[in-house]
Amino acid sequence: MDHGNGHQNGAPNGNGAPNGHGGQNGNGEALPPPPPEIPTDVVPLRAEPEQPKKKRLPVARRGLASRGQKIQLLSNHFKVNVSKVDGHFFHYSVNLLYEDGRPVDGKGVGRKVIDKVQSTYHTELAGKNFAYDGEKSLFTVGPLPQNKLEFTVVVEDAPSSRNNGNASPDNGGFDNDSDRKRMRRPYHSKTYKVEISFAAKIPMQAIADAIRGQESENSQEALRVLDIILRQHAAKQGCLLVRQSFFRNDPKNFTDVGGGVLGCRGFHSSFRGTQAGLSLNIDVSTTMIIQPGPVIDFLISNQNSRDPFTIDWAKAKRTLKNLRIKTTTSNQEFKITGLSELPCKEQMFTLKQKGANANGEADTIEVTVYDYFVNHRGINLRYSADLPCINVGKSKKPTYFPLELCSLVSLQRYTKALNTLQRSSLVEKSRQKPKERMDTLSHALRSSNYDAEPMLRSCAITISSQFAQIEGRVLNAPKLKVGNGDDFFPRNGRWNFNNKVHFLLLALLSSEFETLHSVWVVRSLNSYSIYVQKLVEPIKLEKWAVVNFSARCDIRSLVRDLIKCGQMKGIMIEPPFDVFEENPQVRRAPPLVRVEKMFAQIQEKLPGAPQFLLCLLPERKNCEIYGPWKKKNLADYGIVTQCMAPTRVNDQYLTNLLLKINAKLGGLNSKLAVEQNPSIPLVSKVPTLILGMDVSHGSPGHSDIPSIAAVVSSRQWPLISRYRACVRTQASKVEMIDNLFKRVSDTEDQGIIREILLDFYTSSGKRKPEQIIIFRDGVSESQFSQVLNKELGQIIEACKFLDEKWNPKFTVIVAQKNHHTKFFQPGSPDNVPPGTVIDNKVCHPRNYDFYMCAHAGMIGTTRPTHYHVLLDEIGFSPDDLQELVHSLSYVYQRSTTAISVVAPVCYAHLAATQVGQFLKFEDTSETSSSQGGGVTAAEAIPVPQLPRLEGKVCNSMFFC
């Protein structure tokens, strides 16, 4: 039977019914009747296309602020003059192929190939200079002779210029041709085909547009071309490139942070459009690299081993894979593909002999790697005999070298997360005082020699060597309220509850004062009166206990000093109900078991749930008990807890501890005077909610660990010092928060914002917020649109879901710490004073942004926070908004200093980090990457949900 024809006899219309009526389909079922005929006098309605939602864009600057004392500053921006704006950048796409037509997939070869094209075909390319990004894009000033060009070049696979680039290939000490073939030496030449095709034309006028703040695709692309020129210039100088940061191979720039890892100091360099025109922003930058030198030295340091014979070789194999080495027998680089299964003295391979046998073939013998290098090559091996060999070949065609002949080449990035000790070592060793940093930046600009870069000369670009001169302003510190209704004025961004006194005016005018036991004492009429600062809202601690996880300390003395210190601050602390000591038999048990055993003890002895548990941990950092302990207390039982490692306990330590305990249990340590007598412009007049939003991501290389989104929210309006946190998991490495609005039915929303709005309503006298101020941390300028349209869109949906007629006003501000602008006081070794704000010269030419250094930079060089105002429906004046941001740096309850970023953002980071510890010891994160060899990008990774905090603590400042 023929099924290939769509028609049968008697069925010309294909449906088995010649006239269209009463027909049947192929299954014998009756077809529906045709539609009715349309009368001739009917005028069809025009279908209106659905209007796309209007996209929100960042608002323009409303003007400059003026409050504060003026101060002259310098910045690490260097003025750029662009004389030529009438030409065009021509963008070409680059396609690299091997001789047989296979695409080139290896990184790093592109620049060598394009350099060879430029030198070989200089005439055919009309003498044009290139700006090449190392991958698929190439730019020229003016066009190439043709829109599509194809070239063939031969490139010697020479050593990388990044590592002793003056070395020349030689025979590496190999005795004969068969040796060279066997080692598969990579120095032989390779042939490449290069296709260069026209892609786009970018007017150089777009640079001038970018300076004026007229952002377009062209202006962004024009600045990108200039940054690519900087990258290419650094690459030609042999630098390691990490985005716009460049690192030279100079041991003077290396600092050892432990574990076989070095901090490598380099510099960041990028062009930016500012109010003062185009500038070059140069800053000190640091990246982590593998310790160069003998592989064995690196492994011993990395694993903290005593000698080569105590190394974990399974771990070493993972660590070394894909690292580049040189051998003492060769000047060539090899990439490590693995380790041999057997030790060097047992690992066999087939060695071809010189000459040929009767059949014309080379004779072969089986030898060990050790025997070959010692007896055939005459190389003395001191300790390699019993260690694995390094394999630089393929798994089926291995090429082995004894370990002691191999050295790691320099400038290989270390991309894993640093441990706590490495981080603190890096911070300490990479600090630079302002004057030292300025000298380093001046030297970096001189040594970069940008005036010699042909592409910059083609653009007629010159760069000043002088730091930009800027006028800043120093805002007055806000007045604080402390205990007994006293006012307090912070000095240099700091205040202190530890042994400080308020002087009565009478005492200051008529009495002597002296220091006694670090407490200021006022002496008047031969009598002493001591005035000690107390917390503004201290709590009373009654039902509490101490839990000791095998920490060594005198607990009786610790409790006595804590009670005494608390009394000085106004916190009344009763003696603890009990001290629970860990059973020594469970010290080596897994963390979850230790926590469970401890809680069994607590439940057995305590008459009811305690108000608070003080937990003593044996290690100060990275204690494995921390996560399970916090989860048990906060999620399972609703108990406030404070962890501490009782080392170097003194009055200041106990004061800091009590600040955290007081805030967690509902007290306040200090607050702004403008909160006490509500007078914050616009904020105190109508109910205003303040949000801090942040997303915390897992360590590099852990795609199975979910990201943690945290949103903290103010409560008890008109206060702006009290907050609570809502924390959720989301897909790994996703920066935009996707749980702000989560509609599960027509009447139910399980998103973050609904929870926050309901808490604000109940804690603020049953009033809905009419204004919402959002501080967003951790997003780059390319993500501003998503914050304004995706995240803000979700927040508005959550509001409308609660009340369709509700239209709160929004102000959206992004806080950025990860930028490269710094400020200096000319002629002074000190950092800029706390309260310094800058909104001119180096800020965006159009958008609303400003820099603020609210804190006192005591060590290193102060890093300002860069605030971007994306939306301001509330309508703050520039002065009022900067004052609000400044004040929010003084409401951080964990310390008695102004902090570098507004407290809500800092709290969001703390909450995400602490609750993220809940997942650290769950089965989901421990095993998901080990099943089936990991997860591909195409596979959906289930996101483990965080347990909700118990009702008694969910509205507390547990994150303090």
Side-chain angles (χ1 to χ4, degrees), residues 204 616 805:
M204 293 175 75
L616 309 185
K805 296 178 182 177

Short mmCIF file of all heavy atoms in Angstrom, two decimals, residues 204 616 805:
data_model
loop_
_atom_site.label_atom_id
_atom_site.label_comp_id
_atom_site.label_asym_id
_atom_site.label_seq_id
_atom_site.Cartn_x
_atom_site.Cartn_y
_atom_site.Cartn_z
N MET A 204 34.91 57.13 16.11
CA MET A 204 35.71 57.56 17.25
C MET A 204 35.05 58.71 17.99
O MET A 204 35.37 58.99 19.15
CB MET A 204 37.12 57.94 16.79
CG MET A 204 37.90 56.73 16.27
SD MET A 204 39.51 57.13 15.59
CE MET A 204 40.42 57.44 17.08
N LEU A 616 31.53 28.19 73.70
CA LEU A 616 32.99 28.31 73.63
C LEU A 616 33.53 27.29 72.63
O LEU A 616 33.30 26.09 72.77
CB LEU A 616 33.61 28.06 75.00
CG LEU A 616 33.03 28.86 76.18
CD1 LEU A 616 33.83 28.59 77.44
CD2 LEU A 616 33.00 30.35 75.87
N LYS A 805 -3.92 48.70 45.12
CA LYS A 805 -3.93 50.17 45.06
C LYS A 805 -2.70 50.79 45.74
O LYS A 805 -2.57 52.00 45.81
CB LYS A 805 -5.20 50.71 45.74
CG LYS A 805 -6.48 50.29 45.02
CD LYS A 805 -7.69 50.81 45.76
CE LYS A 805 -8.97 50.36 45.05
NZ LYS A 805 -10.18 50.78 45.80
#
